[in-house]
Amino acid sequence: MTSIMQQAGPSATAILGLGVYRPERVVTNDEICEVLDSSDEWIQTRSGIRSRRYAADGESLLDMAAVAAQRALAVAGVDAADLGTVIVATSTHVQHTPAAAPVLADRLGSRAAAFDVSAGCAGFCHALSVASDLVRGGNARYVLVVGVERLSTFMDPTDRGTAFIFADGAGAVVVGGADEPGIGPVAWGSDGSQSHVITQSMRCDELDAEHPLVVQMEGTQVFRWAPFAMADVARDAVARAGLTLDDLDVFVPHQANLRITETLARNLKLPESVAIARDVQESGNTSAASVPLAIEAMVRSGEAKEGDTALLIAFGAGLSYAGQVVAIPPVAGV
């Protein structure tokens, strides 16, 4: 039999740089309640959210992704022409074809292989694992991962289950080889039996002018599932990295809901020394963008610093989930 050659890359990978983009428009709970039958107190009690960001009119998902990507490349010291792969994690690109990633790569001046990952709010952590494996497998020297969402496009402002939760933003990282491991093995999976819990309002072939596409969610079911099932995933991710919870400096769960974050942290019995991301209070739930946005917020506030050991966990539509331990990277603008 003819022997097929395989190639191998570096033995270790890390996040070389992180950049984010937060839209300028800040939307308070009071503004949400101009349409939604609710109140600031009810929203904060239910979710912890005080405000969120919406993209401006004419500001596309790709516009936000490009800014975050450029910032990540700059802080990593990597030229777009040297990227081997571009991965965009998103559920809100307005076209099925073409994917967002090839268009973004072209904007950046790259001819890299490019594709989108659709794993809901867990998309960034999925894409980060794929990126690490691509580099270690020798198929790319550098990989750009972007988590980006423009959820304000796909919301029913009168839906008490979603209107106050979701928001817009972008976070990007550059993954490359490293002397020491900076990205741990992924712990991931899915539970398709609960695919109805977070979904779109109807199938694309059923849409018409009177029935726009919007996100729907059974929030109570998510709350019953996430803080408990994700505790086991978190422990698995830490164990796969050869660490214990006592080795962590930072915990960055998907910013779905402050109550979920706090319940998950209690279930894990994290040491008091571990800083916990709470960016959902100011940014809302930005789905695939929430984890990189939360990392940036923690570094900017001084709650985390470059080199800290962080546990990332994300979960969302599918239901899909993924998590890994990483070293906090250099962050643009911080």
Side-chain angles (χ1 to χ4, degrees), residues 246-266:
D246 290 333
D247 295 315
L248 299 177
D249 301 305
V250 184
F251 178 44
V252 189
H254 163 49
Q255 300 295 286
N257 179 304
L258 187 60
R259 291 170 60 206
I260 290 178
T261 292
E262 293 180 341
T263 304
L264 177 54
R266 285 196 302 270

Side-chain angles (χ1 to χ4, degrees), residues 101-136:
V103 182
L104 174 62
D106 180 64
R107 284 197 185 193
L108 298 173
S110 171
R111 289 294 179 268
F115 56 91
D116 291 359
V117 167
S118 177
C121 301
F124 175 82
C125 288
H126 278 68
L128 180 61
S129 176
V130 172
S132 177
D133 288 348
L134 284 168
V135 174
R136 290 189 65 194

